[in-house]
Amino acid sequence: ISKKSDRVVCAFYIDTSFRCKIVDKHLGELCKKHYETRFIRLNAEKAPFLTERLKIKVMPTILMVKDSNVCDRIVGFDEVGGSDNFPTSLLEWRIARSKCINYSGDLTRPPVEEVKDKRTVKIQRNLRQEEFSSDSELDD
């Protein structure tokens, strides 16, 4: 993915995903803190060959690359609390476990026990707004 840097964190995203924007916000904070690592974003829709070759199916996916080899990946939000409301420190700890960033904390335990407020975005798709409709075929 990058030959100029020894350590790279690459976030694969799509424009239509709200969760990709959440990851982008967290990685934006981390890149200001960790100059030793190159942070990049890659639009998966504009790089289908690379996305398929790296077997990326879920968005967002974060790849950790060390010495030009993919050494670890974070797929979705399961490893960062399973919630949209995870702290940046949890993502930092998870990336540090792959040794792609310098981390001064304890790598054996996450910085937070669990995400307290597990808010998630739910998209509800209803074909009918009412539970019973008057134009049903069963009304005969």
Side-chain angles (χ1 to χ4, degrees):
I1 294 177
S2 176
K3 294 180 181 181
K4 294 180 182 178
S5 301
D6 292 339
R7 297 186 274 184
V8 177
V9 174
C10 179
F12 284 81
Y13 74 97
I14 54 174
D15 289 326
T16 56
S17 171
F18 177 71
R19 287 190 160 183
C20 291
K21 292 176 177 131
I22 294 171
V23 166
D24 189 42
K25 177 189 73 122
H26 290 297
L27 290 178
E29 292 177 29
L30 290 176
C31 74
K32 295 173 190 170
K33 187 175 177 182
H34 295 282
Y35 293 112
E36 73 276 7
T37 302
R38 178 177 292 236
F39 288 81
I40 59 175
R41 297 172 54 221
L42 188 63
N43 188 330
E45 294 172 323
K46 293 186 179 179
F49 174 77
L50 188 59
T51 304
E52 187 176 315
R53 183 178 171 115
L54 293 170
K55 297 180 174 98
I56 295 171
K57 308 249 188 246
V58 176
M59 296 299 149
T61 294
I62 302 170
L63 295 182
M64 279 69 78
V65 180
K66 195 168 182 187
D67 299 322
S68 298
N69 294 316
V70 175
C71 61
D72 200 0
R73 62 177 63 208
I74 303 170
V75 179
F77 282 13
D78 289 342
E79 295 182 56
V80 287
S83 167
D84 295 346
N85 197 28
F86 65 91
T88 304
S89 61
L90 188 58
L91 182 60
E92 179 182 29
W93 171 80
R94 178 57 187 85
I95 292 171
R97 291 190 64 194
S98 65
K99 297 180 175 60
C100 274
I101 58 174
N102 297 333
Y103 186 71
S104 58
D106 183 9
L107 286 174
T108 60
R109 290 186 11 225
V112 291
E113 291 301 318
E114 68 177 71
V115 179
K116 301 228 184 305
D117 185 14
K118 289 199 173 196
R119 275 188 271 157
T120 57
V121 176
K122 291 183 181 177
I123 300 172
Q124 186 176 7
R125 293 185 178 106
N126 290 335
L127 294 176
R128 298 181 181 168
Q129 294 298 323
E130 299 174 12
E131 188 173 321
F132 300 103
S133 177
S134 62
D135 50 33
S136 173
E137 294 178 4
L138 301 175
D139 285 349
D140 293 333

